[in-house]
Amino acid sequence: LPVLSELLLTDLFKVQSVFSHLVASEDPKQDDFTQKQLQLFTEFADKISALVPYGFLRHISNTSGISRHPQLQLDMVRLGIGMYGIDDNLKGLQEVSTLRSTVAQIKKVAKGESVGYGHKGILEKNTTIATIRIGYADGYPRNLSYGIGKVWVNGVIAPVIGTVCMDMTMIDVTEIPEAREGDEVVVFGEGPPVQDLAAALQTIPYEVFTGISERVKRVYWQE
């Protein structure tokens, strides 16, 4: 370990902690690999401990490691996405972030008409369409077009109709007759969980969170 050799020759630096990162702690099929990671980490940490005349912190566990591998907690843990209330194995967590929009316009559109770019959102029946103030420039991807994406209006799920636009998205509110212009729309959080949106996009909540653009207003609450 050349780095340690250099550390032993100077008093300018001191080892404060030794850590690694679990790459598949959420996956039961990868538990053998996770144990191998722990084994290798322990071996190297022990080598370092044998060379320096003081103690240091050891840590390797992330959110899924905390919930699925309690034996890996060592001296400390690093709760990542769990701080946002996201982990399928940690019960009782509360999702702390909600992405909201509002209804900009409501129109009744006849059967056979199209909604959105590309003339692909052809209506199979007379439909009540709400335009909401969110689009792919805000971090609501075009991959959610044509019913793949779903939002929450007045406690009822409403599917996306047509193509998600840059600044706007159209949804079907035919089954929500009480919907009005100005009503709140929940994209994820207090309604559909972010995991559902991630699943629709065939990705993970991390990408959804980090994809919300800077132009989306952030409001922080503190107790």
Tab-separated table of all heavy atoms in Angstrom, residues 113-123 129 142 146 161-165 168-170:
chain	number	residue	atom	x	y	z
A	113	GLU	N	-60.406	13.227	-32.718
A	113	GLU	CA	-59.451	14.338	-32.745
A	113	GLU	C	-58.123	13.881	-32.122
A	113	GLU	O	-58.054	12.868	-31.417
A	113	GLU	CB	-60.004	15.535	-31.964
A	113	GLU	CG	-61.244	16.157	-32.569
A	113	GLU	CD	-60.958	16.863	-33.882
A	113	GLU	OE1	-59.800	17.272	-34.099
A	113	GLU	OE2	-61.879	16.999	-34.700
A	114	SER	N	-57.059	14.635	-32.397
A	114	SER	CA	-55.750	14.287	-31.831
A	114	SER	C	-55.341	15.319	-30.792
A	114	SER	O	-55.772	16.474	-30.826
A	114	SER	CB	-54.684	14.213	-32.937
A	114	SER	OG	-54.457	15.492	-33.509
A	115	VAL	N	-54.502	14.869	-29.877
A	115	VAL	CA	-53.995	15.728	-28.814
A	115	VAL	C	-52.470	15.656	-28.826
A	115	VAL	O	-51.886	14.574	-28.825
A	115	VAL	CB	-54.527	15.275	-27.435
A	115	VAL	CG1	-53.900	16.100	-26.322
A	115	VAL	CG2	-56.041	15.376	-27.387
A	116	GLY	N	-51.824	16.809	-28.884
A	116	GLY	CA	-50.374	16.846	-28.766
A	116	GLY	C	-49.646	16.738	-30.085
A	116	GLY	O	-50.240	16.499	-31.149
A	117	TYR	N	-48.323	16.929	-29.995
A	117	TYR	CA	-47.462	16.869	-31.167
A	117	TYR	C	-47.462	15.484	-31.805
A	117	TYR	O	-47.652	14.468	-31.142
A	117	TYR	CB	-46.020	17.232	-30.779
A	117	TYR	CG	-45.810	18.700	-30.508
A	117	TYR	CD1	-45.504	19.148	-29.224
A	117	TYR	CD2	-45.906	19.649	-31.532
A	117	TYR	CE1	-45.290	20.494	-28.958
A	117	TYR	CE2	-45.704	20.992	-31.285
A	117	TYR	CZ	-45.398	21.403	-29.992
A	117	TYR	OH	-45.199	22.735	-29.737
A	118	GLY	N	-47.224	15.465	-33.096
A	118	GLY	CA	-47.071	14.215	-33.826
A	118	GLY	C	-48.370	13.590	-34.301
A	118	GLY	O	-48.339	12.567	-34.980
A	119	HIS	N	-49.511	14.171	-33.922
A	119	HIS	CA	-50.809	13.648	-34.357
A	119	HIS	C	-50.937	12.160	-34.002
A	119	HIS	O	-51.450	11.341	-34.758
A	119	HIS	CB	-50.980	13.844	-35.870
A	119	HIS	CG	-52.382	13.570	-36.355
A	119	HIS	ND1	-53.481	14.278	-35.896
A	119	HIS	CD2	-52.857	12.665	-37.245
A	119	HIS	CE1	-54.561	13.819	-36.500
A	119	HIS	NE2	-54.209	12.841	-37.320
A	120	LYS	N	-50.400	11.803	-32.796
A	120	LYS	CA	-50.430	10.400	-32.389
A	120	LYS	C	-51.443	10.132	-31.283
A	120	LYS	O	-51.857	8.987	-31.095
A	120	LYS	CB	-49.040	9.963	-31.935
A	120	LYS	CG	-47.996	9.986	-33.042
A	120	LYS	CD	-46.635	9.562	-32.516
A	120	LYS	CE	-45.587	9.585	-33.614
A	120	LYS	NZ	-44.239	9.204	-33.114
A	121	GLY	N	-51.809	11.173	-30.539
A	121	GLY	CA	-52.760	10.972	-29.454
A	121	GLY	C	-54.184	11.055	-29.952
A	121	GLY	O	-54.921	11.998	-29.657
A	122	ILE	N	-54.612	10.062	-30.719
A	122	ILE	CA	-55.957	10.052	-31.309
A	122	ILE	C	-56.952	9.564	-30.245
A	122	ILE	O	-56.771	8.505	-29.648
A	122	ILE	CB	-56.021	9.143	-32.542
A	122	ILE	CG1	-54.927	9.532	-33.557
A	122	ILE	CG2	-57.405	9.208	-33.168
A	122	ILE	CD1	-55.081	10.922	-34.113
A	123	LEU	N	-57.986	10.333	-30.031
A	123	LEU	CA	-58.960	10.000	-28.993
A	123	LEU	C	-59.950	8.952	-29.495
A	123	LEU	O	-60.500	9.060	-30.584
A	123	LEU	CB	-59.713	11.257	-28.562
A	123	LEU	CG	-58.848	12.375	-27.975
A	123	LEU	CD1	-59.715	13.566	-27.598
A	123	LEU	CD2	-58.075	11.865	-26.757
A	129	ILE	N	-59.990	16.946	-21.550
A	129	ILE	CA	-58.535	17.048	-21.479
A	129	ILE	C	-58.147	18.227	-20.589
A	129	ILE	O	-58.658	19.336	-20.733
A	129	ILE	CB	-57.930	17.261	-22.883
A	129	ILE	CG1	-58.268	16.084	-23.795
A	129	ILE	CG2	-56.419	17.468	-22.788
A	129	ILE	CD1	-57.644	14.777	-23.370
A	142	ARG	N	-40.457	12.892	-22.029
A	142	ARG	CA	-41.362	12.547	-23.130
A	142	ARG	C	-41.691	11.057	-23.138
A	142	ARG	O	-42.686	10.641	-23.724
A	142	ARG	CB	-40.745	12.943	-24.477
A	142	ARG	CG	-40.670	14.431	-24.704
A	142	ARG	CD	-40.079	14.781	-26.068
A	142	ARG	NE	-41.061	14.626	-27.151
A	142	ARG	CZ	-41.050	13.671	-28.050
A	142	ARG	NH1	-40.122	12.732	-28.021
A	142	ARG	NH2	-41.967	13.623	-29.009
A	146	TYR	N	-48.470	9.166	-24.011
A	146	TYR	CA	-49.401	8.125	-24.457
A	146	TYR	C	-49.837	7.169	-23.347
A	146	TYR	O	-49.848	5.947	-23.515
A	146	TYR	CB	-48.803	7.334	-25.634
A	146	TYR	CG	-48.181	8.218	-26.677
A	146	TYR	CD1	-46.830	8.112	-26.989
A	146	TYR	CD2	-48.929	9.208	-27.319
A	146	TYR	CE1	-46.249	8.946	-27.926
A	146	TYR	CE2	-48.356	10.047	-28.254
A	146	TYR	CZ	-47.021	9.920	-28.548
A	146	TYR	OH	-46.444	10.754	-29.469
A	161	ILE	N	-52.210	12.044	-22.003
A	161	ILE	CA	-52.768	11.869	-23.342
A	161	ILE	C	-51.842	12.560	-24.342
A	161	ILE	O	-51.447	13.710	-24.148
A	161	ILE	CB	-54.176	12.478	-23.437
A	161	ILE	CG1	-55.150	11.693	-22.561
A	161	ILE	CG2	-54.675	12.498	-24.871
A	161	ILE	CD1	-55.430	10.294	-23.030
A	162	GLY	N	-51.507	11.872	-25.417
A	162	GLY	CA	-50.635	12.474	-26.423
A	162	GLY	C	-49.202	12.560	-25.941
A	162	GLY	O	-48.772	11.841	-25.034
A	163	THR	N	-48.466	13.481	-26.547
A	163	THR	CA	-47.031	13.613	-26.291
A	163	THR	C	-46.765	14.673	-25.232
A	163	THR	O	-47.333	15.765	-25.277
A	163	THR	CB	-46.307	14.021	-27.595
A	163	THR	OG1	-46.628	13.082	-28.621
A	163	THR	CG2	-44.805	14.048	-27.395
A	164	VAL	N	-45.889	14.355	-24.291
A	164	VAL	CA	-45.437	15.350	-23.321
A	164	VAL	C	-44.711	16.461	-24.070
A	164	VAL	O	-43.811	16.199	-24.882
A	164	VAL	CB	-44.505	14.711	-22.271
A	164	VAL	CG1	-43.908	15.775	-21.355
A	164	VAL	CG2	-45.262	13.663	-21.457
A	165	CYS	N	-45.079	17.705	-23.823
A	165	CYS	CA	-44.466	18.845	-24.506
A	165	CYS	C	-43.343	19.430	-23.647
A	165	CYS	O	-43.085	18.990	-22.532
A	165	CYS	CB	-45.514	19.917	-24.780
A	165	CYS	SG	-46.978	19.319	-25.652
A	168	MET	N	-45.671	21.834	-21.213
A	168	MET	CA	-47.023	21.427	-20.845
A	168	MET	C	-47.202	19.930	-21.107
A	168	MET	O	-46.503	19.336	-21.918
A	168	MET	CB	-48.076	22.200	-21.662
A	168	MET	CG	-48.056	23.707	-21.465
A	168	MET	SD	-48.779	24.163	-19.886
A	168	MET	CE	-48.658	25.970	-19.996
A	169	THR	N	-48.174	19.359	-20.406
A	169	THR	CA	-48.558	17.966	-20.625
A	169	THR	C	-50.075	17.889	-20.566
A	169	THR	O	-50.711	18.583	-19.763
A	169	THR	CB	-47.942	17.051	-19.546
A	169	THR	OG1	-46.515	17.108	-19.633
A	169	THR	CG2	-48.389	15.607	-19.727
A	170	MET	N	-50.673	17.068	-21.415
A	170	MET	CA	-52.120	16.894	-21.427
A	170	MET	C	-52.487	15.589	-20.730
A	170	MET	O	-51.828	14.559	-20.938
A	170	MET	CB	-52.657	16.893	-22.853
A	170	MET	CG	-52.738	18.281	-23.491
A	170	MET	SD	-51.116	19.046	-23.762
A	170	MET	CE	-50.485	18.031	-25.099
